[in-house]
Amino acid sequence: MAKQESFAFATRAESAASGRRARHEAKAPPRTKRPPKQPRGRTSAVELAKKQRDISISEFFAKNRHLLGFDNPSKALLTTVKEGVDNSLDACEDGGILPDVRVEIKQISETRFRVSIEDNGPGIVRAQVPKIFGSLLYGSKFHRLRQSRGQQGIGISAAGMYGLMTTGKPIAITTRTGPKRDAHHFELVIDTKKNAPKVKRDDVIEWDKEQGTRVEIELEGAYRGGQHSVDAYIRQISLANPHAQITYVPPKAEEHGAEHVFPRVSDEVPAETAEIKPHPYGVELGVLMQMFRDTKARNLRSCLQIDFSRVSPRTATEICSRAKVPPSRRPGEISREQAERVHQAIQATKIMAPPTDCIAPIGEELIETALRAEVRADFYASATRRPAIYRGNPFLVEVGLAYGGDLSGDDPVTVYRYANRVPLQYQQGACAITKAVIGTDWKSYQMQQSRGGPPVGPMLIMVHIASVWVPFTSESKEAIAHYPEIIKEIRLGLQECGRRVATHIRKRKREAEEAKKLAYIEKYIPQVAVGLEHILGLTERERNTVVTRLSDVLERSRKM
Amino acid sequence: MAKQESFAFATRAESAASGRRARHEAKAPPRTKRPPKQPRGRTSAVELAKKQRDISISEFFAKNRHLLGFDNPSKALLTTVKEGVDNSLDACEDGGILPDVRVEIKQISETRFRVSIEDNGPGIVRAQVPKIFGSLLYGSKFHRLRQSRGQQGIGISAAGMYGLMTTGKPIAITTRTGPKRDAHHFELVIDTKKNAPKVKRDDVIEWDKEQGTRVEIELEGAYRGGQHSVDAYIRQISLANPHAQITYVPPKAEEHGAEHVFPRVSDEVPAETAEIKPHPYGVELGVLMQMFRDTKARNLRSCLQIDFSRVSPRTATEICSRAKVPPSRRPGEISREQAERVHQAIQATKIMAPPTDCIAPIGEELIETALRAEVRADFYASATRRPAIYRGNPFLVEVGLAYGGDLSGDDPVTVYRYANRVPLQYQQGACAITKAVIGTDWKSYQMQQSRGGPPVGPMLIMVHIASVWVPFTSESKEAIAHYPEIIKEIRLGLQECGRRVATHIRKRKREAEEAKKLAYIEKYIPQVAVGLEHILGLTERERNTVVTRLSDVLERSRKM
């Protein structure tokens, strides 16, 4: 029974004193023939077959609502606000409008809230309202590669579904596409078994707003403070969206008599981002075959040029010849084997990196401004990396950092995580950003750090990843998946800021040491002088001269 | 401008030196009227509407395949094996059959593998094969509350889809429901745009197996060792399923000339678990309203009795009278307000906890046997907790623990996580089990532990949660969501084992100290005797007597 290094379990199992272990048999022996005891018959294949049925996506998410961020009442309230605000900001940017978003949370009973989110966006065409708000997996953002907050077509309808599940109340939508158009008011519910909307009310109403959308959802929730709160979200989303004005009316605002306005600090809508085609390097064989079946192009060469980014006529020809498939081949007639050769040819051909005008960073300057507004620190740094690629998708990382000042020095640093300008408040442990922060050697940047842990010290780190497709670890979009390319870029951004903060810390340390030495000198020289006064019988004037001269001498020698 | 304690951000923002801050205005002033600058018009509501469309669940998961555990090639290989084996074990248990599962991985090229999983389960009725393997969200396990490994109807078809996407090859299924039935062989692909199967081959074939199913998937993958490997998975699944025989043929088995058999160590199929109805306490208002609409019961009282668990006729009557809704009311005619009263009445009525025969624990004895087979340690403990409830779903926690022996003492303890007998190998940081391990005070159990970290020492912990519905944090089923009830039960189980290991460690420490003292005595008494020999002029015999007596005296005093 030879040990085999390739199987970790073999040696461990073999070392076991008793019980179960892996048997290693030479040359694949006949499989065990002992018929296992069959203690009882239970369900036959036929009976099992009767129970097989389709599961609607709404049923699936209703039962798995923690996947969408509705694990518990306080998170449900946050997720509802978040989905509404994300949609409002996206809609305004799509329409080239400076967003003016109003978030209002009314507490109806101890556990029940009514959330309303109102924007000045382009509004929604009447016929689209039911599907957008009353079915999951419907939207305009999924089938394009373009940077936006929403990307799945799930968020707001899931919030409406959660409201319905917990209170039985429909979601209400008021929308108007312009001053000359009617304002429409809908109330609708989702039929989870069919994943389809049921409209309960559909009226034209008077609305003092010229254009925009207002969504209202009643839900079981809880209003809490802290890191995961709606308050923290509103502050963080406002930090990353300086072009938006956000008005926030928290529960019990009447009592406190206040609404909170986060004014616009930049009058520019973020640069319009372009929609892009997939880059050939990121396309897998099966997907390529699907594209050949679906394309409108008449031949392989034009398919490569039209359906992909960065494929010039010359590159297309090069790919065809390398794959030994005629450029004139009709894409629908390309066999699996030919497709495989095209796929290999793509990998072997030099193709320009994807365009990057599809990504709109916040920018180093605005990140630093945001950090200054967030916390009074001694030192600020920010870095916007150049775009990079994961699985064919362009993305870009930005890092901001504040050090010292009001920040507490005894705890692990605070990390603000953002994806496409949306704060990520949950699942910190599962996020690529956390992994990159932990994986960075902060000791070389003058910070404390224990093995496998975050740095400790008076520091706030802000990391933003912008992409045409952010790979979240779940539908609730709380953490970024661990793609190595993404982690690397975050680490490089952290290092860039880390080096700068290290220079600052070193300088501060030097200054502190100087100050300490100076304090020593100031403390002891008078004592020395008093000693000399006694020993040498100096006058008071002579003693003072000695103090001054000694101080000068020592100060000079200290500086050398 | 009064500070408001309820808003963390208010005070922080106010303290900011410059830039953006929340404005607090007294008594909700008129909203800002300044019309924001509109730098440019971009997309109108009508244009946006044109882009709105349905997203098929397959498209969704094809683009988000990391949600299903297909983030990277080595994880994809593991997930494929896992989904196949889970299905095989479930099928065998459904059929009351002792599982005999064979997993074979063939390496076809550097990055391409062909995985086949074969079982002796009840087989699959021919008509069901295409939907089960060729569409997502289809299955028998979702619409029931019963403990099983699969629960979503996604796994195996997603593995097939991943294979198709990366290699263009169909999934192949061979299945036979009994010796007198034909064996069917299918090859099929999933049409992602429709989430529907396309059958490429459907033949009756000769098969030497009397009954069972064999699934083959070709995929881009990577075969690696370590904690996340297929090898580790096979070992761990075998530990938690002692009634299953698992034969594993890893890649390049020909070279090494071996297949690995993990024999059955228990000849009992796990106790058959019952399917249960939802418990009234776990049902939300909206869900209750839906049940009233869907029920076959003719009146409220019988609906409560039939559609829920633990509602006796008396309890049903009590709920009705408390809610002030007539027991004879037709469920379909119950208004929202009445439903809300019924919902409140349910919470106010004492109802027996859900039945727990729906859960099959592994058992303390088998857990300890499994641990003994896994590692040679000094001390073993295990605890099977009594069933508990989260959101109306029964669940049960089991903890096993091994300490000392071959285990390394300098690193954080190893934690094996299981859900419904399936090992969880990824997303450790996001899991309720990890949170419970970290949240337990191990210092009081004689272990080292730093704040917010795992215990450090020579220990292996195994935690198993069994439930009719395990709340995973993602479709890839890698981590358990943070329900407080679940975390509490895990912690109680850990504490139970912790107390026992603490007794052991204390005993060991005492023994070690004794041994140390004894060693001192043995070392110094002869020296003392030599001294006495010189001083008192003892003979050698007298000296030896002194040594013996002194040893006795000191040994006795030490023991007191």
Side-chain angles (χ1 to χ4, degrees):
Chain A
M1 194 152 72
K3 277 194 187 172
Q4 306 205 341
E5 284 311 308
S6 55
F7 304 114
F9 65 82
T11 46
R12 293 193 74 175
E14 280 171 7
S15 76
S18 66
R20 200 125 195 263
R21 61 179 64 195
R23 269 203 326 264
H24 294 241
E25 291 163 80
K27 295 293 164 205
R31 301 182 49 207
T32 173
K33 286 295 174 205
R34 169 175 72 95
K37 267 206 285 182
Q38 300 301 355
R40 62 185 176 278
R42 284 197 288 214
T43 316
S44 74
V46 177
E47 288 166 70
L48 276 176
K50 284 180 199 151
K51 295 181 183 165
Q52 304 279 6
R53 51 186 267 220
D54 277 313
I55 301 152
S56 102
I57 181 68
S58 308
E59 288 180 297
F60 176 76
F61 281 122
K63 207 163 169 182
N64 279 316
R65 58 206 169 72
H66 52 273
L67 296 181
L68 302 179
F70 297 94
D71 319 26
N72 60 56
S74 65
K75 197 166 169 190
L77 185 66
L78 171 66
T79 302
T80 302
V81 169
K82 202 168 156 164
E83 297 294 355
V85 174
D86 286 1
N87 277 7
S88 287
L89 293 175
D90 271 348
C92 288
E93 275 169 41
D94 272 340
I97 295 164
L98 282 168
D100 192 349
V101 179
R102 183 182 174 87
V103 178
E104 209 169 330
I105 304 178
K106 274 195 187 137
Q107 184 149 13
I108 289 172
S109 73
E110 200 190 332
T111 60
R112 196 173 285 189
F113 295 81
R114 189 163 183 87
V115 170
S116 76
I117 295 120
E118 188 176 318
D119 66 51
N120 60 336
I124 299 165
V125 171
R126 177 170 169 253
Q128 290 293 324
V129 173
K131 291 214 87 178
I132 290 176
F133 294 94
S135 66
L136 301 184
L137 289 181
Y138 185 84
S140 61
K141 300 167 195 168
F142 182 85
H143 289 101
R144 64 182 195 190
L145 278 177
R146 180 170 156 191
Q147 180 183 338
S148 56
R149 292 167 186 79
Q151 55 189 31
Q152 306 177 139
I154 291 182
I156 195 68
S157 37
M161 182 169 81
Y162 175 80
L164 177 68
M165 280 169 63
T166 54
T167 70
K169 293 276 180 80
I171 180 172
I173 302 106
T174 312
T175 189
R176 188 176 192 177
T177 58
K180 290 176 189 161
R181 308 277 176 167
D182 287 333
H184 293 276
H185 182 77
F186 282 84
E187 287 184 15
L188 53 89
V189 297
I190 189 167
D191 177 342
T192 49
K193 295 213 170 149
K194 294 182 189 151
N195 186 35
K198 271 191 202 167
V199 175
K200 299 277 181 181
R201 204 184 139 188
D202 172 3
D203 296 329
V204 170
I205 61 158
E206 285 295 305
W207 202 23
D208 58 1
K209 209 173 183 100
E210 291 196 343
Q211 176 178 306
T213 301
R214 176 184 171 92
V215 179
E216 288 165 88
I217 295 172
E218 196 167 319
L219 72 156
E220 288 284 310
Y223 176 68
R224 300 246 166 74
Q227 182 196 351
H228 295 155
S229 64
V230 178
D231 299 356
Y233 164 76
I234 297 276
R235 191 180 69 231
Q236 288 182 32
I237 189 97
S238 141
L239 281 176
N241 295 273
H243 65 296
Q245 161 146 322
I246 298 175
T247 307
Y248 174 43
V249 187
K252 296 180 185 154
E254 323 79 60
E255 278 176 37
H256 298 287
E259 64 177 24
H260 304 262
V261 180
F262 293 81
R264 184 172 292 117
V265 298
S266 156
D267 267 356
E268 275 184 44
V269 181
E272 186 167 18
T273 53
E275 187 177 336
I276 62 161
K277 307 264 180 198
H279 190 273
Y281 284 170
V283 172
E284 285 156 326
L285 176 54
V287 177
L288 185 70
M289 288 165 65
Q290 184 69 44
M291 289 176 80
F292 287 160
R293 283 193 291 275
D294 294 345
T295 182
K296 285 172 187 153
R298 300 201 157 195
N299 60 51
L300 175 58
R301 183 172 45 201
S302 73
C303 168
L304 290 170
Q305 283 174 241
I306 294 168
D307 294 337
F308 294 89
S309 75
R310 298 302 202 196
V311 179
S312 65
R314 224 179 98 186
T315 311
T317 309
E318 192 181 337
I319 293 170
C320 296
S321 87
R322 186 168 268 145
K324 297 198 178 68
V325 180
S328 58
R329 188 64 154 215
R330 283 179 69 117
E333 288 167 3
I334 293 172
S335 71
R336 212 194 65 81
E337 286 67 30
Q338 288 175 321
E340 193 155 355
R341 291 209 303 275
V342 173
H343 188 249
Q344 285 161 356
I346 286 171
Q347 313 306 320
T349 304
K350 196 166 173 180
I351 304 169
M352 208 192 240
T356 50
D357 54 356
C358 49
I359 304 181
I362 300 174
E364 296 183 353
E365 198 183 324
L366 277 174
I367 287 179
E368 219 175 291
T369 308
L371 284 173
R372 281 181 194 277
E374 175 63 7
V375 66
R376 197 194 309 264
D378 293 338
F379 180 81
Y380 300 89
S382 64
T384 296
R385 302 272 315 155
R386 292 177 55 184
I389 316 287
Y390 84 91
R391 243 177 69 201
N393 297 317
F395 73 99
L396 175 149
V397 166
E398 301 183 275
V399 174
L401 185 154
Y403 181 88
D406 291 349
L407 290 160
S408 152
D410 298 333
D411 296 315
V413 302
T414 304
V415 180
Y416 283 1
R417 298 173 292 131
Y418 288 90
N420 285 359
R421 294 171 179 254
V422 178
L424 312 178
Q425 288 167 280
Y426 279 89
Q427 297 264 15
Q428 179 155 1
C431 188
I433 292 175
T434 307
K435 194 175 162 84
V437 168
I438 288 174
T440 300
D441 178 13
W442 291 97
K443 281 185 179 163
S444 67
Y445 304 131
Q446 309 286 319
M447 299 280 295
Q448 288 178 47
Q449 185 179 25
S450 62
R451 199 172 58 137
V456 171
M459 191 154 85
L460 170 73
I461 299 174
M462 174 176 172
V463 178
H464 175 228
I465 157 168
S467 179
V468 295
W469 185 262
V470 179
F472 290 108
T473 60
S474 85
E475 291 83 349
S476 55
K477 303 194 283 183
E478 295 163 343
I480 297 161
H482 289 192
Y483 281 94
E485 300 88 343
I486 294 177
I487 291 174
K488 183 182 160 202
E489 275 300 313
I490 300 171
R491 201 166 46 227
L492 289 172
L494 290 168
Q495 287 170 344
E496 207 173 316
C497 291
R499 277 191 296 273
R500 281 188 254 159
V501 82
T503 308
H504 166 78
I505 298 174
R506 266 191 294 265
K507 198 175 138 213
R508 276 292 159 102
K509 278 190 182 162
R510 255 199 323 270
E511 284 169 3
E513 275 166 33
E514 305 270 300
K516 208 165 131 192
K517 280 188 202 156
L518 192 60
Y520 272 123
I521 291 169
E522 279 168 358
K523 190 169 167 193
Y524 292 109
I525 285 183
Q527 309 300 323
V528 172
V530 169
L532 291 173
E533 185 181 7
H534 284 287
I535 298 163
L536 305 176
L538 302 179
T539 65
E540 197 179 320
R541 212 175 130 241
E542 282 170 323
R543 195 193 68 197
N544 288 341
T545 312
V546 165
V547 168
T548 314
R549 288 200 186 147
L550 260 179
S551 298
D552 283 355
V553 168
L554 287 170
E555 180 70 4
R556 268 204 305 280
S557 76
R558 191 177 67 83
K559 279 191 179 152
M560 285 188 312
Chain B
M1 196 149 73
K3 277 192 189 176
Q4 307 206 344
E5 284 311 307
S6 55
F7 305 114
F9 64 80
T11 46
R12 291 192 77 176
E14 281 171 6
S15 77
S18 67
R20 204 128 192 253
R21 59 179 66 195
R23 268 206 325 264
H24 294 242
E25 291 163 79
K27 295 293 165 205
R31 300 181 50 209
T32 172
K33 286 295 175 205
R34 171 174 72 95
K37 265 206 284 180
Q38 300 303 352
R40 61 184 177 277
R42 282 198 288 217
T43 317
S44 74
V46 177
E47 286 166 71
L48 276 176
K50 284 181 198 150
K51 295 180 183 166
Q52 305 281 4
R53 51 185 267 215
D54 277 313
I55 302 152
S56 104
I57 181 68
S58 308
E59 286 179 300
F60 177 75
F61 281 122
K63 206 162 170 183
N64 279 315
R65 57 206 170 72
H66 53 271
L67 296 182
L68 302 178
F70 296 95
D71 319 25
N72 60 57
S74 65
K75 196 166 169 190
L77 185 67
L78 170 66
T79 302
T80 301
V81 169
K82 199 169 160 167
E83 297 294 354
V85 174
D86 286 0
N87 276 6
S88 288
L89 294 175
D90 270 348
C92 289
E93 274 169 40
D94 272 340
I97 296 162
L98 282 166
D100 193 347
V101 180
R102 182 183 175 86
V103 179
E104 209 169 331
I105 304 177
K106 275 197 185 134
Q107 185 151 11
I108 290 172
S109 73
E110 200 191 332
T111 61
R112 196 174 284 189
F113 295 83
R114 189 165 183 89
V115 170
S116 77
I117 295 117
E118 187 175 318
D119 65 54
N120 60 339
I124 299 166
V125 170
R126 176 170 171 256
Q128 290 294 324
V129 173
K131 290 213 88 180
I132 290 177
F133 294 94
S135 65
L136 302 184
L137 289 181
Y138 185 84
S140 61
K141 297 167 196 170
F142 182 85
H143 290 101
R144 65 183 194 189
L145 278 178
R146 181 170 157 192
Q147 180 181 340
S148 57
R149 291 168 186 78
Q151 55 189 29
Q152 305 177 141
I154 292 182
I156 194 67
S157 38
M161 182 169 80
Y162 176 79
L164 177 68
M165 278 169 62
T166 53
T167 71
K169 291 280 181 76
I171 181 171
I173 302 105
T174 312
T175 189
R176 189 176 193 177
T177 59
K180 289 175 189 163
R181 308 278 175 164
D182 287 335
H184 293 276
H185 182 78
F186 282 84
E187 285 183 15
L188 55 88
V189 297
I190 188 167
D191 177 343
T192 48
K193 294 212 171 149
K194 294 182 189 152
N195 186 34
K198 269 190 202 166
V199 175
K200 299 276 183 182
R201 206 185 135 187
D202 172 3
D203 295 329
V204 170
I205 60 158
E206 286 295 306
W207 202 23
D208 56 3
K209 206 171 188 103
E210 291 196 342
Q211 177 179 305
T213 302
R214 176 184 171 89
V215 180
E216 288 164 90
I217 295 171
E218 196 167 318
L219 72 158
E220 288 284 310
Y223 175 69
R224 301 248 165 74
Q227 179 197 353
H228 295 156
S229 65
V230 177
D231 299 356
Y233 164 77
I234 297 276
R235 190 181 71 230
Q236 289 183 31
I237 189 98
S238 142
L239 281 175
N241 295 273
H243 66 293
Q245 162 146 322
I246 299 174
T247 307
Y248 174 44
V249 187
K252 294 181 185 151
E254 322 79 61
E255 277 175 37
H256 297 288
E259 63 178 24
H260 306 263
V261 180
F262 294 81
R264 186 173 288 118
V265 299
S266 159
D267 266 356
E268 278 184 42
V269 181
E272 185 167 19
T273 52
E275 187 176 335
I276 62 160
K277 306 266 181 199
H279 191 273
Y281 283 170
V283 172
E284 285 156 327
L285 175 54
V287 178
L288 186 70
M289 288 165 63
Q290 183 70 44
M291 290 175 80
F292 288 160
R293 282 193 292 273
D294 295 345
T295 184
K296 284 172 189 154
R298 299 200 160 199
N299 60 51
L300 175 57
R301 185 172 44 203
S302 74
C303 168
L304 290 170
Q305 282 174 241
I306 295 169
D307 293 338
F308 294 90
S309 77
R310 298 304 203 197
V311 179
S312 66
R314 222 178 97 186
T315 311
T317 310
E318 193 182 335
I319 293 170
C320 294
S321 87
R322 187 166 270 145
K324 299 199 176 66
V325 181
S328 57
R329 187 63 154 219
R330 284 180 70 117
E333 288 166 4
I334 292 173
S335 70
R336 212 194 65 82
E337 285 68 28
Q338 288 175 323
E340 192 155 355
R341 290 209 303 276
V342 173
H343 188 249
Q344 284 162 358
I346 286 171
Q347 312 307 319
T349 304
K350 198 169 172 175
I351 305 168
M352 206 191 241
T356 51
D357 55 355
C358 49
I359 304 183
I362 299 171
E364 295 183 354
E365 200 182 322
L366 277 174
I367 286 178
E368 218 174 292
T369 310
L371 283 173
R372 281 181 195 280
E374 175 65 6
V375 68
R376 196 193 311 265
D378 293 339
F379 179 82
Y380 300 89
S382 62
T384 296
R385 301 271 317 154
R386 293 177 52 186
I389 317 287
Y390 84 91
R391 243 178 68 198
N393 297 316
F395 73 98
L396 176 149
V397 165
E398 300 184 277
V399 175
L401 184 153
Y403 181 89
D406 290 350
L407 288 160
S408 153
D410 300 330
D411 294 318
V413 302
T414 304
V415 180
Y416 282 1
R417 298 173 292 131
Y418 287 90
N420 286 356
R421 293 170 179 256
V422 178
L424 312 179
Q425 288 168 280
Y426 279 90
Q427 295 266 16
Q428 178 154 1
C431 189
I433 293 176
T434 307
K435 194 176 162 86
V437 169
I438 289 174
T440 300
D441 177 14
W442 291 96
K443 281 186 180 166
S444 66
Y445 305 130
Q446 309 288 317
M447 299 280 294
Q448 287 177 47
Q449 185 179 25
S450 61
R451 198 173 57 136
V456 171
M459 191 154 86
L460 171 73
I461 300 175
M462 172 174 172
V463 177
H464 176 226
I465 156 167
S467 178
V468 295
W469 185 262
V470 179
F472 291 108
T473 60
S474 84
E475 292 83 350
S476 54
K477 304 195 283 184
E478 294 163 344
I480 297 161
H482 289 192
Y483 281 95
E485 301 88 344
I486 295 177
I487 291 175
K488 182 184 161 197
E489 275 300 313
I490 300 170
R491 201 166 46 226
L492 289 172
L494 290 168
Q495 287 171 346
E496 207 173 317
C497 291
R499 279 189 295 274
R500 282 187 253 156
V501 83
T503 310
H504 166 80
I505 297 174
R506 266 191 295 266
K507 200 174 138 213
R508 278 293 159 102
K509 276 191 184 163
R510 256 198 322 273
E511 286 169 4
E513 275 167 31
E514 306 270 301
K516 210 165 131 193
K517 282 190 200 154
L518 193 61
Y520 271 123
I521 292 169
E522 280 168 358
K523 191 168 167 193
Y524 291 109
I525 285 182
Q527 308 301 322
V528 172
V530 169
L532 290 173
E533 183 181 8
H534 285 285
I535 296 164
L536 304 177
L538 303 179
T539 65
E540 196 179 320
R541 210 172 132 247
E542 283 170 321
R543 194 193 67 196
N544 287 341
T545 313
V546 167
V547 167
T548 313
R549 288 199 184 150
L550 261 181
S551 297
D552 283 356
V553 169
L554 287 171
E555 181 70 4
R556 269 205 304 282
S557 78
R558 192 177 67 83
K559 278 192 180 151
M560 286 192 305

